[in-house]
Each structure stands twice: as structure tokens, then as C-alpha cells.
Amino acid sequence: MSTGPTLRVYLGPGEEPSGNGPADAVSSGAANPRPFRSRRRNRHGRGLRGELIPAHLAGFRSRSERFDTWVLESAQRLERLWGESIQSYQFVVQDIPPGLEELAATRGNIPFGAGTPAAGPKPAVITVYRHPIESAARGLVPVSELIHDVVVEQLATLIGMDPETVDPTYGRFRPL
């Protein structure tokens, strides 16, 4: 009774071929075939030809990487304005705010960010939510400027000042 052909997997020169039966002799082909990893994507011996997208093009970084960079640039802008007092704050990026389903069900306002004051040894944290900001900025406001406005709002709330006092350029790209 024949069980059919068996699949043989050969991983490298240091490993013995797996499988059994007469199908092994037929499937081997050569005495020492090349390992699977060197055959993969190198069928004709040319290898990888280079980067999929060059570093100078916009698609090189993902949207989340660009968003993280914009939050970092916003924190650096505020550090230039306020000096070392900003260095005690921690900036965090999350995809969506917690409890988003309940907010959407009650048609409440979806927050763009949150500020948590310092508590003992833990520093103050400014959290920026990526998906709500990207959805709100679509076509109306540059995403980087909306991120900066959200960071300024959260910092102003934590400090107890007006956002215009924290950064004089606050709100300049908001539609009227």
C-alpha cells in the first residue's frame, strides 16, 4: 500500500535530509543540493538587487514611523522654547485612546491626546493618539502641525497655562 509521495525538507549542509521511502531518492536530484536559504530569492544567482524603496523617497518610512518623528520634532520645538524644564516630560504615542468603543457609541468627543501629571518618581506623561489625529487632519491641516498643537495643548494643561503662552505659533494652521 503506497502512502503517496513524501515531502523532503533539506535545511542546510550540516543536517541530514528528512523523509523516508523511495520518494527520497527521486526528490534528492543532486548529491549535495544547495540549502533552502541560499536558493530562496536567489534563483538565478543574482541575489537581492538593493533596497525596495530608497531612503530619500517618502515611502521609505512607515506612517507610524513618520508620526513618531513628528512627535519628537514637536517636543524638540518646545525644548528650544522652554529649555530644560521640558526634559522632565515623557512623550508617548499610542494608536487609539483607551475606551474608544464607548466614546464612539455615545458619540462623545474622541481625544487627540492626554496628559498625566507626575506622581512621585514617575514623570509627567503626554500621550498622543495617532489614529484620531490622522483622521482629523486628513486634507484640512498638516499632520505635523496638528500633532504639535495637541502636544502644546497637553503641556499647557499640565503646566496650567494657555496654549498660546506655551507656544506663540499654536493654532496657526487650524481652519477658521
Side-chain angles (χ1 to χ4, degrees):
M1 175 191 230
S2 175
T3 59
T6 58
L7 178 65
R8 179 181 148 156
V9 178
Y10 182 73
L11 297 176
E15 296 187 23
E16 290 297 320
S18 62
N20 55 2
D24 285 343
V26 174
S27 66
S28 65
N32 288 324
R34 290 185 315 183
F36 174 74
R37 293 182 199 273
S38 68
R39 284 190 322 242
R40 189 168 181 235
R41 299 218 185 252
N42 196 10
R43 178 182 282 172
H44 300 289
R46 290 187 290 260
L48 293 177
R49 296 181 183 228
E51 297 278 337
L52 186 61
I53 299 176
H56 68 278
L57 293 179
F60 180 71
R61 295 182 308 166
S62 67
R63 287 187 307 179
S64 63
E65 289 173 337
R66 282 191 305 247
F67 194 90
D68 294 344
T69 302
W70 287 329
V71 171
L72 180 64
E73 288 172 357
S74 176
Q76 289 171 345
R77 280 171 62 179
L78 290 173
E79 186 178 3
R80 284 191 298 271
L81 289 172
W82 286 88
E84 293 182 9
S85 61
I86 300 298
Q87 291 179 354
S88 63
Y89 290 87
Q90 187 176 34
F91 297 89
V92 177
V93 175
Q94 290 184 354
D95 284 340
I96 59 172
L100 181 64
E101 293 83 15
E102 292 84 21
L103 287 171
T106 61
R107 299 196 188 273
N109 291 333
I110 297 175
F112 293 151
T116 307
K122 294 172 59 175
V125 178
I126 295 175
T127 306
V128 182
Y129 302 120
R130 184 169 69 90
H131 287 296
I133 289 176
E134 287 178 342
S135 296
R138 194 161 302 190
L140 301 174
V141 180
V143 178
S144 61
E145 291 300 323
L146 185 56
I147 290 170
H148 184 68
D149 285 352
V150 169
V151 170
V152 168
E153 287 172 1
Q154 297 306 318
L155 181 63
T157 303
L158 290 173
I159 294 175
M161 302 173 85
D162 291 329
E164 293 84 10
T165 308
V166 173
D167 187 3
T169 63
Y170 168 77
R172 67 179 172 180
F173 284 99
R174 298 258 174 130
L176 298 175

